[in-house]
Amino acid sequence: MALPIAVIALTTVIGSAMPARAENRTPATTSMAANVAMKTAIPKGFLLYESRATRKRLEKKVVRTRMRWTASDRLRAPLLIDPCATGKQTDQGRRSARTITGRSVMWDGDYSEQLIVYRNEMAARVAVTGLRSDLRRCAKRSRHNFTYQVKDMRIGDEAFMVDMFEVASTEGATVMRQGRTVAIYALPRERADDPPQWRETEYGGLEAGKMANKLADTPL
C-alpha cells in the first residue's frame, strides 16, 4: 500500500509545480517587453522647447513678435541638419523621435529642437558619423552654394557646433550624442562671422548642455 501512495504524492507535486512555473515565465516576459518600450519612448514634455509648442495661443490674434511652435513625433522626420537637401530620413535604427519647430512671423528661419533615440549606441554613432560625412560631401556642390565649418565640443559623449551658410542665410546648430540618443538644436544667425566666433548662445550649445544633463538622469 505504501508504493501507490508515494506515486500519487509524487504525481501531485509534479503536476502542481508545472503550472506555477509557466505562470512565472509569462509575467516576466511581459514585464521585460514593457520595460524596453518605456526606455525607448520619449516622455511627454521632455524636450526643452516642448512647453512652448503645447501652449495654447489665440490663432486670430497673433502678436508679430511671437513664435509659432509645432511638435511632431514622426519617426521618419529628416534630421534638422540636412546639408544635402534630401528632405527625408537618411539614418537608420531609430526607435523614437520628436521634433519641435518655432517660426517667427517677423523673419525667416526656424528655432528647432530634435531628439532621436536609436536601438543602441552604435546606431547613434553611425548616425552622427553619417551627418558629418554629408556636411563634407554636399559642401562641395557649387550649385547649392553651401559651405560649413565645424567645431567639436565637450558635451555628452560627443558633440559639435556647425556654422552653415547657404545662398544668403546663415544657420548655427549643435549636434550632441549621449549614449544611443542624439539631440540637435538649430537656429538662424543674424550675422556671419569669418571666421566664426563660436558663441554657444548662437549655436544652441547651452540647450544641448541642458539636454545632456537631462538624459543622464533618464533610462533613455
Side-chain angles (χ1 to χ4, degrees), residues 46-150:
F46 188 77
L47 273 65
L48 302 182
Y49 294 167
E50 196 161 349
S51 62
R52 306 178 189 182
T54 57
R55 189 179 304 158
K56 294 182 179 180
R57 298 181 182 277
L58 297 176
E59 296 181 0
K60 296 182 180 180
K61 296 181 180 180
V62 179
V63 180
R64 288 183 59 83
T65 56
R66 286 184 175 178
M67 303 286 291
R68 292 181 178 178
W69 294 90
T70 59
S72 172
D73 285 345
R74 181 187 168 200
L75 186 61
R76 298 184 62 82
L79 293 175
L80 286 182
I81 301 178
D82 186 17
C84 299
T86 62
K88 61 183 180 180
Q89 178 188 354
T90 56
D91 53 337
Q92 303 295 326
R94 295 184 183 184
R95 288 296 177 264
S96 60
R98 184 167 300 152
T99 306
I100 310 293
T101 303
R103 171 164 292 181
S104 172
V105 297
M106 293 187 64
W107 62 81
D108 293 333
D110 296 340
Y111 288 78
S112 306
E113 176 184 24
Q114 188 174 59
L115 189 67
I116 301 175
V117 182
Y118 294 85
R119 63 172 176 265
N120 52 38
E121 183 174 342
M122 180 58 69
R125 287 184 178 184
V126 171
V128 173
T129 300
L131 179 55
R132 287 180 181 267
S133 177
D134 285 346
L135 283 165
R136 291 190 297 269
R137 177 167 57 90
C138 292
K140 298 178 181 179
R141 297 181 179 181
S142 59
R143 64 187 182 90
H144 287 305
N145 194 22
F146 171 77
T147 59
Y148 84 101
Q149 295 185 63
V150 166

